[in-house]
């Protein structure tokens, strides 16, 4: 009497074992392929290959034409001359001018960069465009950080210049 | 010494009772094991469902590695979209996971560029992207979805700006007009 009952008990448990095996195989496989980091995207307009706009055209245009160049020395700001602020370099080419925001502790001073962008935004509330450029060897992570700071906060009122266009090299 | 009559019967009954108790204990033990497997199965099923959901929820699969470590961003709203993925790792440029050009010291060999060292156009990348565009246009013609010309740029955080512009320029020549840079969520800076 006892023996057949034991067999019955064993029979009840058996069908779970292949499923359990399958699940045990699937879990490591899915864990390997699973992505636990969320990825975000940042919109960017295609690079402008023509380096800078002719001076005359800039003067005729009343737009801000904000261009920021990231170099190994820091940030260089360029705007339409009629909107130039006292702290901005008067030089027409980045190579001869010192940075408007020099590096601090061997790193780009993004806090100051953010303050300057806010100052410009306060003067030009409706402006949303910014052109970003960099020296050839500037790492991608610095560009992404500059884009983050250019965009500003996530709230509409704290946004600065969310429409980013890249430009080739240093103007 | 002779045993009292009926003593063996009592022993037999006692042994049977002991055996019954033992069987009962054994059965109880078996039942307990079964219960353990069931709860384990439940836990596994939940884990499996969670993993399968996270596996298939993104339109594009991106896996970070030592060669492709994405920068962090403070962006929190715009997630991934279905588009052609151009990946730039430390060692190669890939289009939809297919390697199209090798990188040496983070740069494309001049022999792979149309205009040599100073050139911006990377020939094998252009060919691969044109092939994709052709395919996407064919699909667009058959379905109601128009060809958008959008590309996701997935680049290692140390990629040089020069290489980024070369890739974007080449993609632009292959009729791509909209670009999105992909970065991992969770930058360690707060922008107010």
């Amino acid at each position: 009497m006892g023996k057949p009952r034991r067999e019955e008990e064993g029979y009840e448990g058996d069908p779970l074992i292949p499923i359990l095996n399958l699940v045990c195989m699937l879990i490591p496989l899915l864990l390997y392929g699973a992505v636990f980091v969320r990825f975000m995207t940042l919109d960017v307009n295609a690079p402008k290959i023509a380096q800078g706009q002719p001076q005359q055209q800039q003067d005729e245009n009343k737009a801000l034409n904000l261009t920021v160049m990231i170099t190994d020395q820091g940030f260089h700001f360029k705007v339409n001359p009629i909107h130039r602020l006292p702290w901005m370099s008067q030089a027409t080419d980045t190579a001869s001018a010192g940075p408007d925001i020099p590096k601090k502790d061997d790193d780009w001073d993004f806090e100051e960069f953010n303050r300057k962008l806010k100052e410009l935004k306060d003067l030009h509330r409706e402006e949303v465009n910014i052109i970003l450029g960099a020296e050839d060897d500037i790492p991608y992570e610095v560009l992404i950080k500059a884009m983050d700071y250019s965009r500003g906060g996530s709230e509409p009122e704290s946004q600065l210049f969310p429409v980013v266009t890249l430009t080739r090299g240093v103007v | 010494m002779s045993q009292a009559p009926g003593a063996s019967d009592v022993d037999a009954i006692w042994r049977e009772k002991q055996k019954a108790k033992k069987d009962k204990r054994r059965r109880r033990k078996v039942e307990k094991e079964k219960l353990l497997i069931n709860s384990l199965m439940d836990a596994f099923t939940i884990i499996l469902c969670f993993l399968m959901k996270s596996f298939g929820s993104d339109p594009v699969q991106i896996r970070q590695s030592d060669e492709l470590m994405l920068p962090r961003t403070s962006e929190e709203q715009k997630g991934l979209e279905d588009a052609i993925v151009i990946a730039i790792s430390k060692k190669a440029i890939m289009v939809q996971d297919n390697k199209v050009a090798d990188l040496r010291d983070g740069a494309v060999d001049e022999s792979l560029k149309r205009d040599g060292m100073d050139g911006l156009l990377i020939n094998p990348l252009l060919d691969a992207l044109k092939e994709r565009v052709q395919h996407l246009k064919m699909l667009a013609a058959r379905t109601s979805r128009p060809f958008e010309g959008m590309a996701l740029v997935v680049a290692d955080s140390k990629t040089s700006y020069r290489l980024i512009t070369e890739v974007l320029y080449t993609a632009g020549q292959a009729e791509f007009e909209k670009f999105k840079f992909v970065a991992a969520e969770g930058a360690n800076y707060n922008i107010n």
Side-chain angles (χ1 to χ4, degrees), chain A residues 116-132:
Chain A
K116 299 289 188 201
L117 286 178
K118 276 180 181 168
E119 192 182 329
L120 280 163
K121 184 70 182 180
D122 288 341
L123 296 168
H124 307 273
R125 296 301 306 170
E126 62 294 331
E127 186 63 60
V128 289
N129 297 296
I130 185 169
I131 300 168
L132 283 177

Side-chain angles (χ1 to χ4, degrees), chain A residues 27 30-31, chain B residues 42-52:
Chain A
I27 285 176
L30 288 170
L31 268 173
Chain B
D42 289 348
F44 275 0
T45 310
I46 292 164
I47 294 169
L48 198 67
C49 289
F50 168 74
L51 287 173
M52 285 180 92

Side-chain angles (χ1 to χ4, degrees), chain A residues 18-157:
Chain A
I19 301 167
L20 201 64
N21 287 342
L22 185 73
V23 171
C24 284
M25 295 287 283
L26 275 173
I27 285 176
L29 187 84
L30 288 170
L31 268 173
Y32 178 73
V35 178
F36 296 105
V37 181
R38 276 179 73 202
F39 294 108
M40 294 294 149
T41 58
L42 294 92
D43 292 328
V44 64
N45 294 323
K48 287 184 173 172
I49 302 303
Q51 301 196 344
Q53 290 177 316
Q55 195 69 32
Q56 203 181 10
Q57 197 186 326
Q58 272 194 353
D59 290 347
E60 281 168 8
N61 190 352
K62 293 275 164 70
L64 179 64
N65 289 334
L66 173 62
T67 305
V68 176
M69 292 293 150
I70 310 165
T71 69
D72 197 38
Q73 296 171 305
F75 295 103
H76 301 250
F77 281 70
K78 294 221 174 290
V79 291
N80 188 333
I82 57 168
H83 298 301
R84 192 178 284 154
L85 296 174
W87 51 265
M88 288 178 189
S89 168
Q90 300 288 317
T92 49
D93 65 315
T94 309
S96 63
D100 296 309
I101 305 172
K103 274 174 130 179
K104 193 175 154 188
D105 301 328
D106 210 29
D107 199 5
W108 286 271
D109 190 355
F110 281 98
E111 295 302 321
E112 186 61 20
F113 176 61
N114 192 228
R115 270 193 290 276
K116 299 289 188 201
L117 286 178
K118 276 180 181 168
E119 192 182 329
L120 280 163
K121 184 70 182 180
D122 288 341
L123 296 168
H124 307 273
R125 296 301 306 170
E126 62 294 331
E127 186 63 60
V128 289
N129 297 296
I130 185 169
I131 300 168
L132 283 177
E135 280 181 336
D136 284 351
D137 53 354
I138 297 298
Y140 178 59
E141 61 186 346
V142 176
L143 178 71
I144 292 290
K145 202 169 175 179
M147 285 172 75
D148 280 344
Y149 275 92
S150 303
R151 193 180 58 251
S154 52
E155 301 299 318
E157 61 271 17

Side-chain angles (χ1 to χ4, degrees), chain B residues 22-57:
Chain B
K22 211 174 173 183
D23 285 347
K24 205 176 172 184
R25 273 204 302 272
R26 196 177 292 159
R27 272 204 301 279
R28 219 179 276 159
K29 212 174 173 184
V30 168
E31 277 169 16
K32 207 176 173 185
E33 270 177 12
K34 255 166 68 185
L35 192 68
L36 266 176
I37 287 176
N38 282 343
S39 44
L40 194 70
M41 279 297 291
D42 289 348
F44 275 0
T45 310
I46 292 164
I47 294 169
L48 198 67
C49 289
F50 168 74
L51 287 173
M52 285 180 92
K53 191 199 161 282
S54 67
F55 193 77
S57 58

